[in-house]
Amino acid sequence: SSLLLRCKGFSRAIVVDPGNFPKYISERYEENNIEWARIPAEEFEYTQRFDEAWIYNALPHVFDPTRILLQAKTYTNTLRIIESINAGVDIQHPFSLTKEGLESVLGVVGVVENLCDEPPSPRNDHFFGVFSFNG
């Protein structure tokens, strides 16, 4: 479930996730005035500019990470992102992101850190940052 459930005071909040989750997830979103677009992020059509977009643990799982990043860059003022990088490809992760690739698409410089000490794993390397885009 979305980190938006921890937020208050927003005028509009939308979760974009095609996942098939238990009914209580949609009920929690509804109770907290959070819209849920149950579609792939590549299919989400922005109808307004948003103050913020949050992308976390998503891009290795999608069809077109570049499209999603460019849409977020175009239609949001601030992007908060944390994604695993250099993790390899498998059935659940069709893309292996790199720091250089993310920075190239976004036109920014991010931070990379290994966020877990044990056990060592390439999936522990993460790219993150908060970036401003003013259209």
Side-chain angles (χ1 to χ4, degrees):
S1 58
S2 175
L3 291 173
L4 285 171
L5 290 167
R6 304 250 183 221
C7 298
K8 303 290 181 210
F10 50 78
S11 59
R12 185 176 186 199
I14 303 173
V15 170
V16 181
D17 189 330
N20 187 16
F21 299 103
K23 185 177 179 184
Y24 76 88
I25 298 292
S26 59
E27 290 170 349
R28 288 179 67 198
Y29 288 160
E30 190 174 308
E31 290 168 5
N32 288 278
N33 198 30
I34 297 171
E35 299 170 46
W36 185 3
R38 291 183 179 184
I39 58 174
E42 296 90 341
E43 295 177 17
F44 182 73
E45 293 186 27
Y46 288 82
T47 57
Q48 69 183 73
R49 186 169 184 83
F50 287 89
D51 291 332
E52 292 194 8
W54 301 353
I55 299 175
Y56 53 95
N57 189 33
L59 296 177
H61 304 277
V62 301
F63 302 113
D64 188 350
T66 299
R67 176 179 168 83
I68 293 166
L69 290 170
L70 291 175
Q71 291 281 75
K73 182 177 175 179
T74 301
Y75 290 100
T76 62
N77 297 328
T78 301
L79 171 62
R80 297 175 186 274
I81 184 171
I82 182 166
E83 290 289 349
S84 62
I85 59 170
N86 307 319
V89 174
D90 61 34
I91 191 74
Q92 294 180 346
H93 305 92
F95 291 97
S96 182
L97 305 171
T98 65
K99 177 183 191 292
E100 297 78 17
L102 291 167
E103 289 177 342
S104 175
V105 172
L106 293 172
V108 300
V109 176
V111 175
V112 172
E113 287 187 18
N114 186 300
L115 298 180
C116 301
D117 293 328
E118 297 293 330
S121 166
R123 222 169 270 296
N124 292 342
D125 290 336
H126 287 76
F127 171 95
F128 59 93
V130 178
F131 308 108
S132 296
F133 305 107
N134 295 317

